[in-house]
């Protein structure tokens, strides 16, 4: 077979110029921000039981729009989704030493939010097709101390919510959805993030829509909503005057989002549907173009849900390819495809391996509040580990403002690498 020499071995590069960076902010956001700046009110929160306890007009308007959009009773803005996750774990009434089951294939804050309340993260394994929590592994990790499940809708596709909610109901657990990467994704006609007891989205500048930094918490539960608002805004000084009787976890923070961010958020939310559609169409074009490449598995999208492609994940069948991921990855990189190898195995972070978080004596794991010795050793999440160690490749769809031509170039680069797979194999 005649094929062009790979860029990795000195041939011409397929993608010669870097793709345009994605920027979701436009003139509408600019104008909205200008109006807020001119008004002079950049935030209107007061950390007291007062009419300003719930924030200013843009905060309220954005929250109303979010509740309408995602079809939930309550939407609560926060200054980051990490803050949102912390507030959510506190709001569902987690006690020190309670166990919360979480996936290792996620951004680290999904688990640190649990630790934050001195609760214990327990890592369950993931589904090899969707990379989301595997319901069977969740069930296998339930102990008498389990109180909640932290579900993550990773890369832009919802987890198996019916199965996970059924497990939660059976064992009386609360469920939190970390839908940071999947705003606008659907699960059986409902928005991902809205099926759990509490869920939400990140508004940081890497995500589909952003306000620089920020987050939105969604829930249909009035009690959880009130507790979220309290934790967001100095709960401890508010509970007395507000007449709140349940003081558990009523330790407040300043997790408030400003008027500027919310004014931008209002405009960003209007654009979310369009962004999602265009990303889906690009991803479908990529999937179509990569079809038939031997030993390469394109994203699996379950029939009852949609994928919003924060990341476009690929899996290599190494037996079929008989080449290493490192070499294939290097060849793609050399052609100009900014594909990443590895994602996350957060259970293997030093904090969990050394069991050192608060202070230097192993708290909370070594304290009396921890009921048992939780295992974070390599091997507890074999699927997530194998993907990370050897078979996964991912393309950050939210990094670039891609055109169909860009997608076609990516396809061309993959085809070139695949037509030279023998050479790669010999160098593996
Ligand atoms: C981005 C992200 C977060 C954190 O969101 P921030 O707004 O950056 O704090 C949490 N979980 C996942 C899965 C994310 O992708």
């Amino acid at each position: 077979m005649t094929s062009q020499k790979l860029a990795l071995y000195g041939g011409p590069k397929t993608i010669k110029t870097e793709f345009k960076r994605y920027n979701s902010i436009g003139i509408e956001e600019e104008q909205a921000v200008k109006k807020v700046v001119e008004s002079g009110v950049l935030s209107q929160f007061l950390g007291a039981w007062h009419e300003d306890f719930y924030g200013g007009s843009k905060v309220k308007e954005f929250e109303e729009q979010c509740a309408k959009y995602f079809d939930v009773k309550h939407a609560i803005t926060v200054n980051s989704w990490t803050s949102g996750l912390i507030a959510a774990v506190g709001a569902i009434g987690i006690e020190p030493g309670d166990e919360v089951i979480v996936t290792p294939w996620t951004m680290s804050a999904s688990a640190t939010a649990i630790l934050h309340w001195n609760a214990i993260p327990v890592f369950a394994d993931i589904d090899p097709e969707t990379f989301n929590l595997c319901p069977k592994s969740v069930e296998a990790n339930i102990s008498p101390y389990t109180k909640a499940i932290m579900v993550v809708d990773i890369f832009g596709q919802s987890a198996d919510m019916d199965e996970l909610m059924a497990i939660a109901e059976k064992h009386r657990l609360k469920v939190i959805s970390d839908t940071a990467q999947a705003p606008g994704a659907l699960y059986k006609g409902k928005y991902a993030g809205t099926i759990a007891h509490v869920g939400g989205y990140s508004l940081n500048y890497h995500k589909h829509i952003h306000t620089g930094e920020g987050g939105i918490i969604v829930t249909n539960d009035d009690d959880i909503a009130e507790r979220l608002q309290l934790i967001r805004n100095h709960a401890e000084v508010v509970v007395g005057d507000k007449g709140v009787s349940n003081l558990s976890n009523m330790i407040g923070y300043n997790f408030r989002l400003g008027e500027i961010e919310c004014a931008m958020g209002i405009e960003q939310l209007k654009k979310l549907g369009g962004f999602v559609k265009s990303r889906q169409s690009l991803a479908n074009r990529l999937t179509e173009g990569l079809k038939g490449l031997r030993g390469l598995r394109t994203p699996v999208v379950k029939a009852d849900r949609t994928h919003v492609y924060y990341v476009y994940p690929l899996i290599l069948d190494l037996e079929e390819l008989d080449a290493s991921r490192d070499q294939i990855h290097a060849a793609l990189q050399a052609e100009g495809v900014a594909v990443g190898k590895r994602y996350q195995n957060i259970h293997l972070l030093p904090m969990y391996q050394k069991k050192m978080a608060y202070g230097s004596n192993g708290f909370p794991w070594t304290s009396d509040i921890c009921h048992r010795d939780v295992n974070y050793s390599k091997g507890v999440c074999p699927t997530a580990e194998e993907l990370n160690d050897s078979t996964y490749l991912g393309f950050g769809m939210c990094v670039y403002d891609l055109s169909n031509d860009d997608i076609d170039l990516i396809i061309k680069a993959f085809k070139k690498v695949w037509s030279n797979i023998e050479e790669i194999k010999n160098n593996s």
Side-chain angles (χ1 to χ4, degrees):
M1 192 205 290
T2 55
S3 58
Q4 243 192 335
K5 198 176 171 74
L6 287 172
L8 183 64
Y9 304 133
K13 199 171 169 177
T14 309
I15 301 165
K16 294 185 177 67
T17 49
E18 211 200 334
F19 299 136
K20 194 174 145 203
R21 289 263 153 179
Y22 175 58
N23 178 11
S24 65
I25 303 296
I27 186 78
E28 300 79 6
E29 287 77 7
E30 221 174 290
Q31 284 166 351
V33 167
K34 191 159 176 274
K35 271 193 202 151
V36 173
V37 173
E38 283 166 357
S39 80
V41 182
L42 306 195
S43 181
Q44 202 185 319
F45 271 105
L46 199 68
W49 186 227
H50 176 276
E51 61 177 324
D52 289 342
F53 172 70
Y54 296 106
S57 66
K58 290 298 165 191
V59 168
K60 286 177 184 152
E61 187 184 338
F62 183 35
E63 291 179 345
E64 232 166 77
Q65 296 299 327
C66 286
K68 214 180 274 170
Y69 189 94
F70 294 108
D71 195 21
V72 286
K73 233 169 141 184
H74 306 277
I76 294 149
T77 55
V78 273
N79 58 1
S80 77
W81 176 234
T82 299
S83 303
L85 287 167
I86 292 171
V89 175
I92 62 169
I94 287 296
E95 299 280 333
D98 282 351
E99 293 177 11
V100 180
I101 295 175
V102 61
T103 162
W105 191 260
T106 183
M107 189 258 172
S108 63
S110 316
T112 46
I114 299 161
L115 266 181
H116 184 90
W117 295 95
N118 302 317
I120 310 294
V122 171
F123 293 96
D125 207 359
I126 60 172
D127 178 282
E129 291 197 323
T130 65
F131 313 102
N132 286 320
L133 267 180
C134 164
K136 278 207 182 76
S137 181
V138 168
E139 204 148 31
N141 277 286
I142 289 174
S143 81
Y145 317 110
T146 310
K147 289 291 155 57
I149 310 170
M150 173 71 76
V151 176
V152 183
D153 299 322
I154 207 70
F155 298 159
Q157 179 172 211
S158 171
D160 297 327
M161 291 313 290
D162 279 358
E163 290 87 336
L164 292 165
M165 292 307 287
I167 291 169
E169 197 169 330
K170 183 170 150 201
H171 297 272
R172 295 165 179 256
L173 312 176
K174 287 278 192 264
V175 179
I176 300 174
S177 265
D178 177 349
T179 311
Q181 304 185 356
L186 294 171
Y187 176 85
K188 300 189 176 174
K190 285 186 183 159
Y191 280 114
T194 67
I195 297 149
H197 299 103
V198 53
Y201 316 101
S202 168
L203 294 171
N204 91 25
Y205 73 102
H206 299 287
K207 303 283 162 49
H208 290 80
I209 56 170
H210 80 100
T211 59
E213 303 288 349
I216 311 161
I217 317 174
V218 291
T219 183
N220 286 308
D221 185 307
D222 297 340
D223 180 53
I224 289 176
E226 182 187 41
R227 288 166 59 76
L228 288 166
Q229 280 151 340
L230 284 158
I231 293 169
R232 168 175 74 174
N233 191 9
H234 305 292
E236 68 281 1
V237 295
V238 182
V239 286
D241 290 341
K242 195 171 191 287
V244 174
S245 53
N246 176 10
L247 297 186
S248 150
N249 294 345
M250 287 294 99
I251 301 170
Y253 295 88
N254 178 351
F255 286 162
R256 311 175 314 203
L257 194 62
E259 292 288 287
I260 291 181
E261 289 81 0
C262 288
M264 275 202 284
I266 292 164
E267 299 306 320
Q268 286 281 280
L269 187 65
K270 292 180 196 162
K271 300 179 181 179
L272 176 61
F275 290 149
V276 162
K277 255 202 194 124
S278 93
R279 202 155 285 129
Q280 286 169 332
S281 131
L282 292 162
N284 291 340
R285 188 181 183 91
L286 185 53
T287 299
E288 207 45 49
L290 298 180
K291 245 188 207 161
L293 291 185
R294 182 168 68 86
L296 181 70
R297 201 190 72 203
T298 53
V300 176
V301 184
K302 294 285 176 85
D304 55 6
R305 55 205 94 166
T306 64
H307 202 308
V308 299
Y309 299 101
Y310 176 68
V311 170
Y312 183 94
L314 288 159
I315 299 301
L316 300 172
D317 181 338
L318 296 176
E319 272 178 38
E320 170 111 32
L321 286 163
D322 198 21
S324 81
R325 176 181 65 175
D326 281 357
Q327 282 296 310
I328 293 170
H329 174 256
L332 287 165
Q333 281 275 347
E335 295 302 330
V337 183
V339 71
K341 53 177 181 178
R342 289 194 283 272
Y343 183 60
Q344 300 281 0
N345 270 192
I346 60 170
H347 62 303
L348 301 178
L349 290 172
M351 177 168 69
Y352 300 106
Q353 290 306 301
K354 304 245 185 277
K355 290 194 174 166
M356 194 183 292
Y358 292 102
S360 47
N361 290 314
F363 188 88
W365 296 282
T366 50
S367 86
D368 289 345
I369 61 163
C370 190
H371 301 278
R372 61 183 181 114
D373 192 18
V374 177
N375 185 5
Y376 297 135
S377 308
K378 188 148 191 180
V380 297
C381 299
T383 306
E385 291 164 14
E386 195 200 345
L387 286 165
N388 220 38
D389 289 345
S390 55
T391 58
Y392 167 83
L393 289 176
F395 184 73
M397 292 288 284
C398 266
V399 178
Y400 303 103
D401 188 1
L402 299 164
S403 66
N404 281 341
D405 288 348
D406 296 338
I407 295 291
D408 292 346
L409 274 177
I410 296 172
I411 295 164
K412 197 173 159 197
F414 267 89
K415 286 190 169 159
K416 183 179 169 191
V417 169
W418 254 249
S419 68
N420 284 282
I421 210 82
E422 285 300 316
E423 194 180 2
I424 292 173
K425 201 156 96 180
N426 296 333
N427 286 298
S428 282

